[in-house]
Amino acid sequence: MKAAILKQLGPLEPFHLVDLPTRSPGAGEVSIKVRATSINVVDTKIRAGMGDIAPAGDIVLGCDVAGIIEAVGPGVTRFAIGDEVYGCAGGVKGRDGAYREQMITDARLLAKKPTSCTFEQAAALPLVSITAWEALVDRAQVKPGETVLVHGGTGGVGHIGVQLAKALGAIVHTTVSSDEKAQLAKKLGADVTINYRARQVVQYAAEETNGRGYDVVFDTVGSDNIAASLEALAVNGRCVSIVSLHTSPDLSALHMKNARLDLVLMLIPMLTGEGLERHGFILENVARLVDAGRIQPLLDDRVYSLDELILAHDHLASGAAIGKIAVRVS
Amino acid sequence: MKAAILKQLGPLEPFHLVDLPTRSPGAGEVSIKVRATSINVVDTKIRAGMGDIAPAGDIVLGCDVAGIIEAVGPGVTRFAIGDEVYGCAGGVKGRDGAYREQMITDARLLAKKPTSCTFEQAAALPLVSITAWEALVDRAQVKPGETVLVHGGTGGVGHIGVQLAKALGAIVHTTVSSDEKAQLAKKLGADVTINYRARQVVQYAAEETNGRGYDVVFDTVGSDNIAASLEALAVNGRCVSIVSLHTSPDLSALHMKNARLDLVLMLIPMLTGEGLERHGFILENVARLVDAGRIQPLLDDRVYSLDELILAHDHLASGAAIGKIAVRVS
């Protein structure tokens, strides 16, 4: 079975295509014939050197997978051979990644893939959809009629964030960097688009909310943007960020607004083994939203193959991609 | 009517005892014959120079009040003349403070005082009880069996935090600075006391929770302690802080633990005019808990009078007080 491995971690480490032995699924596991995966920022960060959460040995990265069940281990009742599934199901410590033709994973992490999607589209969804769900549904608990600011509305997590906030009944504002991306964000359902290069956060937060600030800010950008997100909040607001390592924003705005900051690391169930079934549950709901046309995955024009992973990673790092970058595996 | 006023803000500004005219309560207001008030950290901070949230004109500080209703304005049905009440009911922008013999306030901020308390004890409760309630009940939503760390278990907010966490069914750990305070915290219901001068947070959080960390950390100390509080959290934990102005902790621990940081500024309803009735509701519940013996106010030995306010403020600033500092007004 063909797999793309890293021999060690490092920002410039190449992938090596090798032949790995196949194995059978254990209790609670399934074997997936991998049809597609997609690139997430966390894959590039782990590759660059996050040894604490990286798989060991011949390192096979890749969190997201879409494929076909080809074997079912003892105790698995939710899936049968031939089922088309998707999930954020590996690529971290103790779990096989998806950069391979056959992947063994815990069945609880999977759901049946949306029927209206290609495998490439389905593989683009799991990590970003679960992240957006945990941020907007579980943490911020967005209510209909609330005004939600999603940073980076055409990015990987952002484009799902815009659509999910809309599905929750929110008035959705989103930041973009160009008129082209503004058009795209509008198509995804954004009510208001904000070119963050043209206005500072304090300015647009005041102008676009009649001085109230946002009920919820979903920060998908991180670094200096967290401080900006806190400034954009309304009194009693909630900020959710997914990017905050080595970031030390001044908390004064959060305090004076009696507000909340949630940090979402959606890898936690995979890393701890607790709460795996919640991810399968979320993806079942996401599949229904996708098939109902309420959420659509946004794929960058270029789809890569398993021997072009380095190009796919570089493309993500370039910042030029729109939406998700998919990789066709078989 | 006698009142203690500041002529301007500043850390060394003295109080002046003056005679102010009385007035009648307007719609939704009541007039209270003030029997006691208590000193809170926020009173000292406003006095030192928080002009944004200070009352204007002849500045009368004092958030907490306990007293007797002596007049009821139009539309007030919850109280009648002669009722003994308590509340965190003024002393900020736009609202009369309690350092006076007669205080007009919005009736929604008040509740009947616990019958088992003196006025001095009742006046010690409102701000700190509402703060602890908002932190542990509304924000952290502490569940029975969870392990909760309350920083500063014999301090103003901390001593209510310990008792409220216990009432919520939590296993309560608390930090103290001496054996004497440890004994006191145990009497209040703490299951475990930790002398924070003897062990670093990472050490005691690991030792006292079998390496898991705390489900909830209630930071009543602020500054460097916020970073320590984030370190002490378990995966999926919740930290609530009430002291975070001009503080910039590294958020890495919060992120890697998939955790939450809530900042509570309990003055928000008084400052915005929204949610005032919630504070009255909380104090009704607190009164029941006090009369049932589940929460007891902890008063420092020395009780001051209205012409000793400067001594009371200095005593709080000294850090030597145990529990709350009460002021007898009439």
Side-chain angles (χ1 to χ4, degrees), chain A residues 50 53 134 138-141 226 235-236 241-252 254-266 268 271-272 274, chain B residues 50 53 134 138-141 226 235-236 241-252 254-266 268 271-272 274:
Chain A
M50 291 184 77
I53 65 170
E134 292 184 342
D138 295 344
R139 300 292 188 92
Q141 300 183 21
I226 294 185
V235 168
N236 303 325
S241 176
I242 58 170
V243 197
S244 66
L245 290 181
H246 314 302
T247 306
S248 303
D250 187 311
L251 298 179
S252 298
L254 200 66
H255 190 175
M256 290 310 292
K257 289 170 178 174
N258 192 41
R260 163 178 288 177
L261 173 63
D262 265 297
L263 268 300
V264 169
L265 182 65
M266 70 75 66
I268 284 290
L271 292 172
T272 64
E274 289 179 29
Chain B
M50 291 183 79
I53 64 171
E134 291 185 341
D138 295 344
R139 301 292 188 91
Q141 300 182 19
I226 294 185
V235 168
N236 303 325
S241 177
I242 58 170
V243 197
S244 67
L245 290 182
H246 314 302
T247 305
S248 303
D250 187 312
L251 298 178
S252 299
L254 200 67
H255 190 176
M256 290 311 292
K257 289 170 177 174
N258 192 42
R260 164 178 287 177
L261 173 63
D262 266 297
L263 269 300
V264 169
L265 182 64
M266 71 73 67
I268 284 290
L271 292 171
T272 65
E274 291 180 26

Side-chain angles (χ1 to χ4, degrees), chain A residues 198-217:
Chain A
R199 285 185 288 175
Q200 294 291 309
V201 59
V202 174
Q203 186 190 354
Y204 70 68
E207 289 172 357
E208 300 292 348
T209 67
N210 293 318
R212 248 191 98 245
Y214 291 99
D215 298 303
V216 173
V217 177

Side-chain angles (χ1 to χ4, degrees), chain A residues 20-43:
Chain A
L20 291 184
T22 59
R23 67 176 177 96
S24 299
E29 293 181 330
V30 294
S31 175
I32 302 172
K33 177 179 168 61
V34 179
R35 296 293 304 276
T37 181
S38 72
I39 312 297
N40 291 293
V41 172
V42 70
D43 304 321

Side-chain angles (χ1 to χ4, degrees), chain B residues 136-148:
Chain B
L136 297 173
V137 181
D138 295 344
R139 301 292 188 91
Q141 300 182 19
V142 170
K143 306 289 183 303
E146 288 193 314
T147 305
V148 175

